[in-house]
């Protein structure tokens, strides 16, 4: 006797799991108008400039975006290739590689927190194929409110307006995943094998100290030696995560104490940002006999302004002006196969192993 009802999966096919990988974003072109548009969206995010909306609007639209855009446009012109922004190019490559690895059971979409392709358009595409689960992976190894937190907030804001909300899993950090560490170590070993260096620098994007204090569990965060230990109470402290990432890479690379430095870059404004500051550290190194440096940027998974131009070029000039001789930058993960394997592992760990029976 034939069953009265067919199963949902037999009629519609097996439901897919959606995978949304998200990076910060990039301007659509190096034109000043496009850069200004990008800066306005980026800096109007309350998790980036955490002041009340009206003063933030005046600051961003009246001062920062108009005056900073022309200068930033010149930097983007140096960074862009004929194909476009490296951040977007590598994002698309990783998306395609991850899709191939996961197969038909998953649908992988790339979104950007700011500009295009937008998180909203990416989520709408997943909604259109009625995915049963969405796994969100912000492509930031260490959790910070201004990056991973902002992505999660935006995703939740958009999906909250849907009539049907699927199961959503947020991957909040992966800086300690063995394959993430190994992918960066692979890139570093190649350069260490080709040339001798006096010192290794691990440079991370900075954040204001107040961001760390806002996220502190009780009075845990002191912005000092407490970050030298990584545990349950400070696992979302950005500074502690960065020092922990360094320790993992140091072990993978076989470095010894005294052969490396952890520091922070890209600070803005007058308020204190997390320390030590990399620009101050690199100027002191030649005085200590450190003339040849290999630099890592383990907070970034793809080449961008902050890696290629800031660490790779600006810091090199400052280091040489201070008496240094060699300053080399380890490439970001970009489309490294081991890095894609890391993402595949993250997806599989978040994917249910047993599906409920539908009838």
């Amino acid at each position: 006797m034939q069953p009265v009802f067919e199963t949902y999966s037999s009629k519609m096919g097996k439901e897919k799991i959606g995978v949304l990988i998200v990076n910060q974003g990039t301007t659509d072109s190096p034109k000043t108008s496009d850069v200004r548009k990008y800066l306005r969206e980026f800096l109007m995010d309350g998790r980036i400039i955490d002041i009340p909306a009206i003063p933030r609007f005046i600051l961003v639209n009246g001062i920062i975006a108009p005056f900073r855009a022309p200068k930033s446009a010149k930097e983007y012109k140096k960074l862009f290739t004929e194909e476009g922004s490296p951040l977007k190019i590598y994002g698309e490559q990783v998306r395609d590689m991850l899709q191939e690895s996961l197969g038909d059971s998953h649908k992988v979409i790339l979104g950007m927190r700011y500009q295009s392709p937008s998180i909203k358009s990416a989520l709408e595409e997943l909604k259109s194929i009625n995915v049963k689960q969405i796994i969100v992976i912000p492509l930031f190894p260490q959790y910070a409110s201004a990056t991973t937190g902002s992505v999660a907030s935006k995703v939740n804001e958009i999906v909250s307006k849907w009539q049907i909300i699927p199961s959503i899993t947020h991957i909040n950090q992966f800086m300690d995943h063995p394959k993430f560490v190994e992918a960066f170590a692979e890139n570093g070993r190649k350069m260490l094998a080709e040339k001798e260096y006096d010192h290794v620098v691990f440079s991370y994007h900075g954040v204001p100290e107040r961001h760390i204090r806002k996220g502190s569990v009780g009075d845990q965060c002191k912005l000092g030696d407490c970050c030298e230990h990584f545990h349950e109470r400070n696992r979302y402290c950005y500074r502690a995560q960065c020092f922990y990432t360094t320790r993992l890479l140091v072990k993978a690379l076989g470095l010894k104490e005294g052969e490396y430095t952890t520091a922070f870059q890209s600070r803005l404004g007058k308020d204190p940002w997390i320390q030590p500051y990399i620009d101050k550290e690199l100027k002191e190194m030649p005085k200590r006999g450190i003339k040849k440096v290999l630099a890592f940027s383990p907070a970034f998974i793809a080449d961008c302004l902050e890696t290629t131009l800031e660490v790779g070029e600006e810091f090199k000039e400052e280091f040489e002006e201070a008496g240094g001789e060699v300053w080399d930058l380890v490439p970001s993960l970009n489309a490294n196969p081991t890095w894609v394997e890391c993402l595949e592992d993250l997806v599989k760990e978040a994917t249910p192993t047993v599906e409920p029976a539908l009838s």
Side-chain angles (χ1 to χ4, degrees), residues 307-347:
T307 59
T308 304
L309 298 185
E310 187 172 14
V311 180
E313 295 185 9
E314 292 178 21
F315 291 171
K316 176 182 176 67
E317 291 177 6
E318 293 177 18
F319 183 66
E320 291 175 348
E321 288 175 2
E325 298 173 0
V326 175
W327 179 280
D328 291 335
L329 173 64
V330 175
S332 296
L333 301 183
N334 296 324
N336 179 310
T338 305
W339 157 230
V340 177
E341 289 178 12
C342 170
L343 291 173
E344 183 182 0
D345 284 354
L346 292 173
V347 171

Side-chain angles (χ1 to χ4, degrees), residues 39 135 165 222 271 307:
L39 289 175
I135 300 170
I165 300 176
K222 305 294 185 183
D271 288 348
T307 59

Side-chain angles (χ1 to χ4, degrees), residues 135-140 143 148 169-174 236 346-347 349-350:
I135 300 170
V136 183
I137 309 180
L139 299 178
F140 311 106
Y143 177 91
T148 306
T169 302
H170 294 273
I171 306 298
N172 284 339
Q173 56 186 198
F174 52 82
Y236 287 116
L346 292 173
V347 171
E349 289 165 8

Side-chain angles (χ1 to χ4, degrees), residues 5-16 129-132 357-359:
F5 298 103
E6 295 179 88
T7 64
Y8 180 84
S9 56
S10 67
K11 290 181 67 177
M12 305 297 293
K14 189 176 181 181
E15 295 174 282
K16 291 181 182 290
I129 60 174
N130 197 33
V131 294
K132 65 178 179 180
L358 297 176
S359 60

Side-chain angles (χ1 to χ4, degrees), residues 23-286:
N23 213 328
Q24 177 173 305
T26 180
T27 177
D28 291 332
S29 82
K31 294 179 180 178
T32 300
S33 58
D34 283 337
V35 173
R36 186 178 294 114
K37 179 183 177 183
Y38 171 77
L39 289 175
R40 283 174 173 159
E41 183 181 359
F42 170 50
L43 297 174
M44 278 304 296
D45 185 345
R47 287 178 178 263
I48 300 296
I49 299 181
D50 53 338
I51 61 176
I54 293 177
R56 183 170 68 248
F57 181 88
I58 295 171
L59 177 64
V60 172
N61 292 280
I63 300 175
I64 300 178
F67 292 99
R68 188 174 173 184
K71 180 181 178 181
S72 295
K74 293 179 182 178
E75 297 301 300
Y76 275 110
K77 286 179 182 177
K78 299 178 187 176
L79 182 70
F80 267 57
T81 67
E82 291 183 1
E83 292 78 23
S85 166
L87 192 76
K88 187 174 181 180
I89 293 167
Y90 287 122
E92 291 170 344
Q93 290 179 11
V94 167
R95 174 201 62 199
D96 294 344
M97 293 168 70
L98 183 58
Q99 181 67 74
E100 184 176 357
S101 297
L102 292 171
D104 293 338
S105 60
H106 295 72
K107 177 62 176 177
V108 183
I109 301 289
L110 171 68
M112 296 293 184
R113 177 59 185 88
Y114 313 105
Q115 298 297 285
S116 60
S118 68
I119 290 178
K120 183 176 182 180
S121 66
L123 287 171
E124 288 295 334
E125 185 170 349
L126 294 178
K127 180 183 178 184
S128 71
I129 60 174
N130 197 33
V131 294
K132 65 178 179 180
Q133 179 189 8
I134 298 175
I135 300 170
V136 183
I137 309 180
L139 299 178
F140 311 106
Q142 303 83 17
Y143 177 91
S145 172
T147 53
T148 306
S150 181
V151 170
S153 178
K154 189 66 175 179
V155 168
N156 292 342
E157 173 192 329
I158 293 168
V159 175
S160 69
K161 297 178 175 63
W162 292 2
Q163 188 66 29
I164 299 174
I165 300 176
S167 172
I168 299 178
T169 302
H170 294 273
I171 306 298
N172 284 339
Q173 56 186 198
F174 52 82
M175 81 289 174
D176 56 348
H177 193 286
K179 289 181 181 175
F180 165 75
V181 176
E182 178 56 26
F184 251 118
E186 285 175 6
N187 289 354
R189 289 191 198 105
K190 292 177 184 177
M191 299 189 71
L192 287 168
E194 295 172 356
K195 191 183 297 184
E196 290 188 2
Y197 295 93
D198 302 325
H199 204 71
V200 175
V201 166
F202 297 95
S203 182
Y204 299 84
H205 199 289
V207 298
E209 289 184 354
R210 66 179 182 275
H211 285 198
I212 303 295
R213 293 194 175 94
K214 281 183 178 181
S216 176
V217 177
D219 61 350
Q220 171 64 38
C221 293
K222 305 294 185 183
L223 294 165
D225 294 345
C226 56
C227 291
E228 294 179 4
H229 304 279
F230 190 63
H231 47 75
E232 186 67 22
R233 294 191 68 197
N234 71 353
R235 65 192 175 98
Y236 287 116
C237 168
Y238 177 72
R239 188 171 184 267
Q241 292 171 79
C242 292
F243 278 102
Y244 185 51
T245 305
T246 291
R247 292 196 294 275
L248 293 173
L249 284 169
V250 162
K251 183 177 180 180
L253 294 166
L255 301 178
K256 299 177 182 178
E257 194 66 33
E259 294 181 341
Y260 61 92
T261 294
T262 298
F264 300 90
Q265 65 187 76
S266 309
R267 71 184 187 278
L268 296 170
K270 297 180 180 179
D271 288 348
W273 283 45
I274 54 176
Q275 299 185 45
Y277 299 140
I278 184 59
D279 55 338
K280 293 185 177 180
E281 291 291 318
L282 65 84
K283 290 175 183 177
E284 293 296 318
M285 288 177 184

